Amino acid sequence: MSATFEVKPAATAPAPPAAASARKPPRTSRRTQARRSLRRHWQLYLLVVVPLAYFVIFKYIPIVNAVIAFKDYSPVKGPWGSPWVGFKNFELFFQNPVFWTLVKNTFLLSVYTVLASFPIPIVLAIALNEIRNGRFKKTVQLVTYAPYFISTVVVVSMTILVLSPRLGFVNDAIGLFGVPQIDFLGNPNYFRHIYVWSDVWQTTGYSAVIYLAALAGIDPALHESARIDGASRLQRIRHVDLPGIMPTAVIILVLGVGNIMSIGFEKAFLLQNPLNTAQSEIIATYVYKTGLLNADFSMATAIGLFNSVINLFLLLGVNFAAKRITGNGLWS
Amino acid sequence: MSVTLQEFRRTSTRGHESQRTTIEETRTDKIFLTGVKIMLWLALIVVAVPLIYIVANSFSSPSAVSAGKVLLWPVEPSVKAYKEAFSDPLIMKGYLNSFIYAISGTLISVTLTIAIAYPLSRRTFFGRNVIMSVLIFTMLFSGGLIPTYLVVQDLGMLNTRWAMVIPSAIGVWQVIIARTFFRSTIPDELYEAATIDGASDLRFLWSIVLPLSKPVIAVIALMYAIFQWNSYFDALIYLKDPGLYPLQIVLRNVLILNTLTGSTTTTNLAQQLEQQQLANVLKYALIVISSLPVLVIYPFVARHFTKGVMVGAVKG
């Protein structure tokens, strides 16, 4: 895996300093280069020590700690001292009747989220791009962008209040059409819709910004020449704008799919109540309950690991497919 | 006498229809544009209505809210809920804690992010690609909830303020944004000139790079601050002492779990009803109060934020 999200392609290796090339043949070995760089720029290496330690301690040690998924973890003996049990935790989880429900709930929720929240920001961005720069455009952008800054707790509370059977305005509104009151959060069948559309409400404006940036980067000459060729607005969107934002869209789609199994724990957990768990219990909330509420650390880690691994493979798979089809991918 | 392009266009289309400043819009284009505008209005309404609804409710009288009479404008305006919220010790303590976490967390996060992003932006820094891969891998794969919890536990951070600011200190995304900024705005020549004047790497970073990088520092600082202000999950798993709870946890208890603050020991039915009604408005007021700091600074930072998002997200 190379440095990937770079905005500019990585620079080629620095040319050896002039002083060195005078004495030796022009190419110095990497080791010599490293030593020279370390001597001259020791302060830079000093700077990265603490941040790197952070990544080792809080990101890589947990990956190592995940061995407890294959152990019968005992707090006294620690991750390495506890006895090995092989794949027992995984087998138990796969045999657990709740397993398929969890996988199904997680998968459906994620796919639904990706399907809904992928195209809408593109539509919004293109629409914003079509109208002239002015007050209206700025207002729409400012307002649609705002919910992104509201915390999950607040968004969930708002959702609950707005949908509340007796007091929420949604029930008032559908009441005008003679529909009886609906307890949205008490019915598992509504959970996915509530989750996904409140998510769309919160993130569309934010995601649109990324596409707006991509649209702004399209060479105006392309639009100009399309116009001269007599292309309508719709045709220009189809043949100029959409291809122009394709690379960005692919990356965002790939990342979205990569998140498919790690779907936002926080929100599902907050929206959950005893009445809707049939559809709201997802792998992440189950891990929390198994691990921290029931203190079954090994089992919770095994479930989490199962999740992470599937996640990683999905991401790599979709990235591979995207690269094949469109020529764009995360590591291109 | 030269003819400007616009005049040229105007004259060339004259006689066809009315004067225009651009190449003609066909009728389908006009219909299309109207459709676009309608769609944007819809988007605006859909996003704004819930927000207005919440604010309107928060400023209404408890009885009007409980009767569900409020829609987009306060009914029987009242600030009772706000008075109640501001006199609740638990809420105020949460507010204070959130400020402490947001400020200290942001300081720590920004410092560490720059400390790694700057060297990674330098061409002469050996191994930067390896380090970058090490960071990005953590975006793709993690040990999971429990293994991370064990680390925090082993460090003795459970139930301390450290647990709120250290385990989530550095965001890879922010490192990418900062590094890209340094790389694209600080030319190598500047460093060479400074070296000739005898500046060390640290000196150069401190006296030249940082002052030139105020915009990006502001962006990542705001990202961290808002993230910290809005986070509740770390508090949920790492903190037990209610005295350490940030606002979001207090909010969750009041808003979602319906744990009423204040004493409800009164037996008087009328008073109970009144308290129940007050609790209803209190929810709306709390939503406003907790989002206020973020929404107040939001219009001022939105533009910078947008730039940050672009740097982070757009490739090539």
Side-chain angles (χ1 to χ4, degrees), chain A residues 40-59:
Chain A
R40 275 191 59 184
H41 301 291
W42 60 272
Q43 291 180 330
L44 295 182
Y45 295 88
L46 198 67
L47 273 177
V48 301
V49 168
V50 177
L52 269 187
Y54 164 84
F55 279 97
V56 169
I57 293 171
F58 290 101
K59 303 290 170 187

Side-chain angles (χ1 to χ4, degrees), chain B residues 66-197:
Chain B
S66 298
K69 280 196 273 187
V70 188
L71 198 53
L72 297 178
W73 196 253
V75 177
E76 302 164 34
S78 139
V79 287
K80 239 181 170 171
Y82 288 92
K83 275 192 192 144
E84 178 77 7
F86 281 111
S87 59
D88 187 307
L90 222 61
I91 293 169
M92 284 301 105
K93 182 81 184 160
Y95 225 75
L96 181 71
N97 281 336
S98 277
F99 268 110
I100 294 174
Y101 298 139
I103 293 167
S104 57
T106 305
L107 276 176
I108 294 171
S109 296
V110 170
T111 311
L112 293 180
T113 302
I114 292 174
I116 193 159
Y118 175 66
L120 287 177
S121 76
R122 287 278 300 271
R123 268 142 220 246
T124 44
F125 187 78
F126 201 80
R128 65 199 143 84
N129 287 343
V130 178
I131 292 179
M132 210 57 223
S133 310
V134 165
L135 302 199
I136 281 162
F137 181 70
T138 66
M139 286 174 110
L140 306 178
F141 191 79
S142 75
L145 175 70
I146 301 297
T148 312
Y149 178 85
L150 288 178
V151 169
V152 176
Q153 189 182 41
D154 287 347
L155 291 170
M157 284 184 183
L158 282 190
N159 212 13
T160 66
R161 292 191 190 276
W162 296 112
M164 290 301 293
V165 290
I166 304 289
S168 57
I170 308 180
V172 178
W173 204 242
Q174 281 76 357
V175 174
I176 294 170
I177 292 173
R179 184 190 69 146
T180 310
F181 182 91
F182 292 143
R183 187 188 274 173
S184 55
T185 52
I186 314 284
D188 285 351
E189 289 77 12
L190 201 59
Y191 171 73
E192 274 149 31
T195 323
I196 291 167
D197 288 341

Side-chain angles (χ1 to χ4, degrees), chain A residues 109 195 259 262-269 282 284-285:
Chain A
L109 193 60
Y195 181 99
N259 276 329
S262 67
I263 187 97
F265 161 84
E266 303 202 351
K267 211 167 136 188
F269 181 69
I282 57 173
T285 55

Side-chain angles (χ1 to χ4, degrees), chain A residues 2-300:
Chain A
S2 69
T4 57
F5 292 79
E6 278 169 27
V7 169
K8 286 179 183 166
T12 45
S21 54
R23 223 180 315 139
K24 285 186 202 166
R27 282 203 65 84
T28 41
S29 77
R30 287 175 66 81
R31 187 175 298 188
T32 325
Q33 268 181 41
R35 210 177 296 137
R36 191 174 296 136
S37 167
L38 194 61
R39 200 171 337 115
R40 275 191 59 184
H41 301 291
W42 60 272
Q43 291 180 330
L44 295 182
Y45 295 88
L46 198 67
L47 273 177
V48 301
V49 168
V50 177
L52 269 187
Y54 164 84
F55 279 97
V56 169
I57 293 171
F58 290 101
K59 303 290 170 187
Y60 283 89
I61 291 184
I63 293 177
V64 176
N65 270 353
V67 291
I68 68 169
F70 304 95
K71 295 192 159 210
D72 182 13
Y73 177 72
S74 122
V76 187
K77 294 176 190 151
W80 286 101
S82 303
W84 291 96
V85 295
F87 285 92
K88 195 186 109 201
N89 290 315
F90 291 91
E91 280 162 20
L92 278 177
F93 176 52
F94 298 152
Q95 284 158 13
N96 191 327
V98 85
F99 171 74
W100 282 111
T101 318
L102 289 180
V103 171
K104 190 180 127 204
N105 284 348
T106 309
F107 187 74
L108 287 180
L109 193 60
S110 316
V111 171
Y112 189 3
T113 309
V114 171
L115 287 183
S117 58
F118 175 67
I120 295 178
I122 298 183
V123 175
L124 179 66
I126 288 179
L128 282 170
N129 197 46
E130 284 299 313
I131 61 170
R132 237 170 264 120
N133 254 312
R135 250 239 198 94
F136 180 56
K137 181 178 177 178
K138 277 190 190 134
T139 314
V140 175
Q141 248 194 299
L142 204 69
V143 171
T144 53
Y145 194 19
Y148 180 75
F149 292 88
I150 299 174
S151 76
T152 316
V153 174
V154 167
V155 169
V156 170
S157 320
M158 283 177 65
T159 312
I160 293 173
L161 287 172
V162 163
L163 295 178
S164 129
R166 217 163 35 81
L167 304 173
F169 77 72
V170 173
N171 264 305
D172 288 349
I174 60 175
L176 293 178
F177 300 98
V179 182
Q181 284 182 354
I182 299 173
D183 183 7
F184 288 100
L185 282 146
N187 186 337
N189 294 326
Y190 290 117
F191 176 80
R192 279 182 204 128
H193 306 296
I194 297 171
Y195 181 99
V196 169
W197 294 105
S198 61
D199 211 58
V200 168
W201 180 82
Q202 190 177 11
T203 58
T204 296
Y206 171 79
S207 314
V209 168
I210 296 168
Y211 293 111
L212 274 174
L215 285 169
I218 294 173
D219 187 354
L222 287 174
H223 273 288
E224 203 64 32
S225 48
R227 249 196 299 198
I228 288 164
D229 288 347
S232 71
R233 276 177 181 266
L234 209 54
Q235 282 170 322
R236 292 203 311 269
I237 289 173
R238 207 174 129 204
H239 298 287
V240 180
D241 285 341
L242 284 181
I245 58 175
M246 191 62 161
T248 312
V250 167
I251 287 168
I252 288 174
L253 186 64
V254 170
L255 286 176
V257 172
N259 276 329
I260 260 189
M261 302 295 273
S262 67
I263 187 97
F265 161 84
E266 303 202 351
K267 211 167 136 188
F269 181 69
L270 289 170
L271 275 171
Q272 215 171 56
N273 64 39
L275 296 173
N276 65 21
T277 38
Q279 293 203 358
S280 65
E281 191 80 291
I282 57 173
I283 294 180
T285 55
Y286 191 71
V287 166
Y288 170 78
K289 287 174 188 166
T290 314
L292 289 174
L293 301 185
N294 298 339
D296 191 347
F297 282 18
S298 284
M299 176 55 89

Side-chain angles (χ1 to χ4, degrees), chain B residues 223-269:
Chain B
M223 284 179 161
Y224 282 125
I226 288 170
F227 172 79
Q228 190 60 254
W229 182 265
N230 286 342
S231 86
Y232 89 99
F233 185 52
D234 283 358
L236 181 71
I237 56 178
Y238 298 136
L239 299 182
K240 291 220 163 53
D241 178 4
L244 299 175
Y245 281 171
L247 186 60
Q248 301 297 335
I249 289 282
V250 180
L251 285 181
R252 173 179 173 251
N253 293 342
V254 178
L255 294 172
I256 296 172
L257 303 183
N258 271 318
T259 332
L260 294 179
T261 55
S263 59
T264 41
T265 46
T266 168
T267 45
N268 184 329
L269 215 69

